[in-house]
Amino acid sequence: MTRTPSPAGRFTLAELRLALAAPRAAAGLTSEWRVVDGVRTHTRRGADPGTGAPPVVLVHGLAVSHRYLTPLAVALATTHPVYVPDLPGFGLSERPGEAYDVSRHAAHLAAWLDAYRLPPACLVGHSFGAEVVAALAARHPEAVRALVLAGPTSDPAARTRRGQVGRWLVDTLREAKAQSPILLRDVWDARPWRVLATLSHSVHNAIEMDLVRVAAPTLVVTGGRDTVVPAAWREQVAHLVPDARALVVPGAAHNVATTAPAEVAEAIRRLLHRAPSTLPDAPSDKECHAHR
């Protein structure tokens, strides 16, 4: 069944029902669990479309899960194998007794890639997920064919819990209201204490140190109405990554991957079209220092 995407910035009730479907199969997506580094980890995935295209792995942000990335997964599944893992403690994955920081989430994601025996993949991280995939790309360049940083956090100009919450509250006024049940379900699954602890980890993470070490071709994408990631921070992120381009999706707010899936999916396809099949070496420490 072909689904007509909503205009950028919109999120329909049909998309909401699809986002909340797991673990039931829906729109070609299925759920499975594997034990990764001792954590029973849930993954929502699409069938291999048989195109020979590289896999795309979508990594969710703070307080949320695979659910809100479902529209983007569906949009990509016609051309790419798509995987959407729930990070430890979130969504349908097992909940460890402590909240992981960025480095530990990146290590778990690297182990998850090994468990699935994936070839070099396109990693798409949204918000806090962008911090996780940037850390992984800096430490394991051989695993990453291309990188997408969607609404990457956190802007040094507001790198406090109060600053991030304040920007997020303003952004919620610009988001499609039909997303609200997803957020409520995801916060319930993760538990509020984990959300707050992960936010603390986020604002203590200097993502800049990872960005300068990214070797893969990179796309930095934000919504034109995003108050969490303002234009100045978006451009700074794109400048720090050695091979990066920036894209703004008009009409979308922070959840650009949810409310503009068609536009983001097409941008990912264009990025992979220019990404080399053989991976470059990671930037040296000398190159990173010069880039700073």
Side-chain angles (χ1 to χ4, degrees):
M1 177 179 175
T2 302
R3 295 178 179 269
T4 303
S6 303
R10 299 278 297 278
F11 187 73
T12 67
L13 291 177
E15 288 172 317
L16 173 62
R17 287 192 292 270
L18 183 57
L20 295 173
R24 293 183 293 106
L29 302 179
T30 58
S31 286
E32 63 185 40
W33 285 262
R34 294 190 187 186
V35 176
V36 178
D37 271 358
V39 177
R40 189 169 183 261
T41 303
H42 170 258
T43 300
R44 196 70 166 157
R45 64 180 294 185
D48 189 337
T51 59
V56 180
V57 179
L58 310 182
V59 181
H60 63 80
L62 178 70
V64 282
S65 73
H66 73 276
R67 295 183 179 104
Y68 81 118
L69 294 174
T70 298
L72 180 56
V74 171
L76 286 164
T78 57
T79 54
H80 292 267
V82 179
Y83 300 80
V84 197
D86 283 331
L87 297 174
F90 296 93
L92 299 179
S93 286
E94 184 180 345
R95 294 191 290 270
E98 58 185 327
Y100 287 14
D101 62 11
V102 172
S103 293
R104 196 166 178 188
H105 275 305
H108 184 271
L109 185 59
W112 179 92
L113 290 170
D114 287 342
Y116 274 82
R117 299 182 181 274
L118 294 184
C122 175
L123 301 185
V124 181
H126 176 255
S127 199
F128 176 75
E131 298 182 56
V132 175
V133 299
L136 188 152
R139 294 160 176 75
H140 301 281
E142 74 287 348
V144 184
R145 179 160 179 172
L147 192 68
V148 179
L149 306 174
T153 52
S154 60
D155 180 3
R159 196 170 281 172
T160 63
R161 294 206 303 186
R162 177 178 294 181
Q164 290 299 296
V165 170
R167 287 186 176 186
W168 176 79
L169 288 173
V170 174
D171 187 79
T172 59
L173 301 176
R174 304 181 177 193
E175 295 284 359
K177 299 302 181 283
Q179 297 176 87
S180 299
I182 298 175
L183 178 62
L184 293 174
R185 173 71 181 275
D186 283 340
V187 171
W188 173 260
D189 283 346
R191 305 296 188 258
W193 71 263
R194 190 185 308 277
V195 174
L196 291 174
T198 305
L199 176 59
S200 294
H201 288 315
S202 174
V203 299
H204 287 97
N205 177 55
I207 188 176
E208 299 92 330
M209 302 299 290
D210 290 325
L211 295 176
V212 297
R213 296 172 58 198
V214 172
T218 299
L219 174 69
V220 182
V221 57
T222 65
R225 305 176 71 224
D226 188 346
T227 60
V228 178
V229 182
W233 173 235
R234 178 187 66 239
E235 295 305 320
Q236 185 179 347
V237 171
H239 175 73
L240 287 170
V241 178
D243 180 12
R245 300 179 183 181
L247 172 69
V248 179
V249 180
H254 186 58
N255 288 353
V256 62
T258 305
T259 61
E263 292 87 343
V264 175
E266 185 54 34
I268 291 170
R269 293 185 184 102
R270 291 196 301 267
L271 174 68
L272 285 169
H273 181 72
R274 74 178 183 90
S277 56
T278 56
L279 300 177
D281 295 331
S284 66
D285 290 340
K286 182 178 180 181
E287 288 171 333
C288 290
H289 180 76
H291 197 77
R292 292 190 186 94

